[in-house]
Amino acid sequence: MLTTGPRGTQDILPSVSGQWQYVEKTIRNVCDLFGYKEIRTPIFEHTELFLRGIGETTDVVSKEMYTFKDRGERSITLRPENTAATVRAYLEHKLYADITLNKLFYIGPMFRYDRPQAGRYRQFHQFGVEAIGTANPAIDAEIIILATQFLKSLGLNELKLQLNSVGCPKCRPVYREKLQDFLRDKVKDLCPDCQSRFERNPMRILDCKNEKCTTLSQGAPEMADCLCEDCHDHFDQLKELLRAVDIEFILNPRLVRGLDYYTKTAFEIQYSPLGAQSAVCGGGRYDGLIEECGGSSTPGIGFAIGIERVMLALEKQGLMPNEDASLDALVVPLGLKAQAAAFKVLYNLRLAGYRADMDFAGRSLKAQMKQANKLGAKYAIIIGEDEVRENSVMLKNMFTSEQTKIQAAEVVKNLNFEVKD
Ligand code: AMP
């Protein structure tokens, strides 16, 4: 127990943390280009927020939440996603007071009690954006472009963008009824989950992964044929904007979100080489959510990308960049008497911005030089008893093997390469 982490969690070890930093840096670059500002919310919230903000009938809320009572007997939940919390923060801090359109992004861990498998964890990480304050389809297009630009800038090209419109509270009830009429005599053969969805949330039957449900719902009426004029126009404009910038999409009438506060645009991006867990990004418009959470009626849209899935895809395609972890200099003290002088040289090198290190284990010259090679050090700075006496160092260029004795105070001046930024 003490040497094993909880099921479904992962340690990000030093050997791969650089890869995570690379992906996070790419996220920050893209968000900066598009004018999205970072928001960081707590990893736990009042349970009520998720019941309202995600919906009690969803799998995430009904089966997958990490919920517990804190010592004050309050019901607390580890966030399973971050849209509801972002909306809570938006309302709590009145972000709407100064800016009509808030463009926000977040990166962080999410928690879902699900059966762990490759690409599916109990603690995983998401990068997401939320654009709160406009119903303009141009912002739907913008966030879809942001998601694809992020994935493409990592080198992932085999992306499939699936698109649908789920209508609005005006047109959806008509569709819902049509769908229920179509499914009514098939209900008894649906999976138990879908049987309970039939009354509460029938649109979710369309994206059930159970083969029987998929077959039974073949030929079901499509939302696209029931959209009201407003939703229809909105969807048309979005498609036109995406075509204008050559973003390919596939219309998928089975891409649904059954709750009332999800409106209009729904989309998913898949990276097919990932197989079963190919969904890397899921997003959509939620024009009713802010009101549901206690604010005034405000349109919004967002997406979330699973970072572990992106990492798996990068690994699979060999797209992980090589890290440059090489040292500028390894300081090599010979014996304990040289340690203080070596420590001072090390201190000055780091102060000047050089990536430097030294041996702390009292190893032999041979062992330390081997280490310098292993670390890819450009210089070894050797300090023995003679050097301590003379206040000097032996500067060895590891590429040319050339050695020069210089004054300890001159070391920084003698490293003839630029400091990395
Ligand atoms: P969702 O919030 O369910 O729409 O998921 C958005 C994205 O998060 C998905 O497309 C996945 O890439 C990722 N994701 C969701 N659940 C998990 C999980 N349990 N483990 C790893 N990634 C996940």
Side-chain angles (χ1 to χ4, degrees), residues 60 64 80-82 106 110-115 117-127 257 268-269 277-283 303-310:
V60 167
E64 298 173 2
E81 54 94 68
N82 211 29
Y106 58 83
M110 307 295 153
F111 306 85
R112 293 184 195 176
Y113 191 87
D114 201 354
R115 196 168 58 80
Q117 51 186 292
R120 190 165 282 279
Y121 313 99
R122 289 184 174 168
Q123 174 172 336
F124 60 100
H125 297 76
Q126 283 184 339
F127 149 48
R257 296 170 162 232
E268 196 170 286
I269 301 175
Q277 309 297 338
S278 65
V280 289
C281 173
F303 69 69
I305 289 182
I307 301 184
E308 280 81 0
R309 302 238 177 122
V310 169

Side-chain angles (χ1 to χ4, degrees), residues 375-390:
L375 295 171
K378 299 180 182 77
Y379 286 91
I381 298 168
I382 304 158
I383 305 176
E385 280 185 27
D386 287 353
E387 283 77 16
V388 173
R389 214 177 318 107
E390 299 160 7

Side-chain angles (χ1 to χ4, degrees), residues 110-327:
M110 307 295 153
F111 306 85
R112 293 184 195 176
Y113 191 87
D114 201 354
R115 196 168 58 80
Q117 51 186 292
R120 190 165 282 279
Y121 313 99
R122 289 184 174 168
Q123 174 172 336
F124 60 100
H125 297 76
Q126 283 184 339
F127 149 48
V129 312
E130 313 292 350
I132 307 176
T134 179
N136 187 341
I139 206 78
D140 304 42
E142 176 174 279
I143 70 155
I144 291 174
I145 294 166
L146 193 164
T148 48
Q149 189 159 325
F150 161 66
L151 295 164
K152 283 183 183 166
S153 63
L154 292 170
L156 300 172
N157 288 313
E158 291 169 63
L159 303 170
K160 268 198 200 131
L161 167 64
Q162 311 230 16
L163 199 60
N164 194 20
S165 173
V166 296
C168 69
K170 218 161 49 176
C171 52
R172 203 163 31 222
V174 181
Y175 173 66
R176 199 183 143 108
E177 230 166 84
K178 274 194 179 179
L179 184 62
Q180 281 176 324
D181 286 346
F182 173 84
L183 291 168
R184 191 154 283 118
D185 59 346
K186 305 176 176 69
V187 177
K188 56 182 185 324
D189 300 318
L190 294 171
C191 74
D193 277 349
C194 282
Q195 287 186 11
S196 71
R197 282 173 185 146
F198 180 76
E199 285 300 338
R200 294 192 303 173
N201 202 348
M203 286 170 77
R204 290 300 312 273
I205 298 173
L206 296 175
D207 74 348
C208 178
K209 302 287 176 278
N210 185 305
E211 230 172 88
K212 211 161 166 207
C213 300
T214 316
T215 317
L216 287 169
S217 61
Q218 286 297 333
E222 294 184 3
M223 185 70 228
D225 300 324
C226 300
L227 294 177
C228 63
E229 204 181 327
D230 180 35
C231 289
H232 195 273
D233 285 353
H234 188 276
F235 199 31
D236 267 356
Q237 286 179 55
L238 169 61
K239 289 184 280 188
E240 199 181 306
L241 289 164
L242 293 176
R243 284 193 193 106
V245 291
D246 290 330
I247 300 273
E248 285 177 23
F249 53 85
I250 304 157
L251 294 177
N252 179 359
R254 285 177 173 267
L255 192 63
V256 294
R257 296 170 162 232
L259 298 166
D260 279 353
Y261 42 76
Y262 290 119
T263 50
K264 300 186 169 75
T265 312
F267 68 97
E268 196 170 286
I269 301 175
Q270 280 160 349
Y271 186 72
S272 22
L274 281 182
Q277 309 297 338
S278 65
V280 289
C281 173
R285 186 162 270 291
Y286 46 78
D287 291 350
L289 176 60
I290 288 130
E291 211 172 350
E292 183 73 28
C293 292
S296 59
S297 172
T298 311
I301 182 165
F303 69 69
I305 289 182
I307 301 184
E308 280 81 0
R309 302 238 177 122
V310 169
M311 304 295 288
L312 282 174
L314 293 180
E315 232 162 77
K316 209 170 177 114
Q317 304 304 103
L319 290 167
M320 285 297 187
N322 283 329
E323 237 183 292
D324 176 19
S326 61
L327 271 190

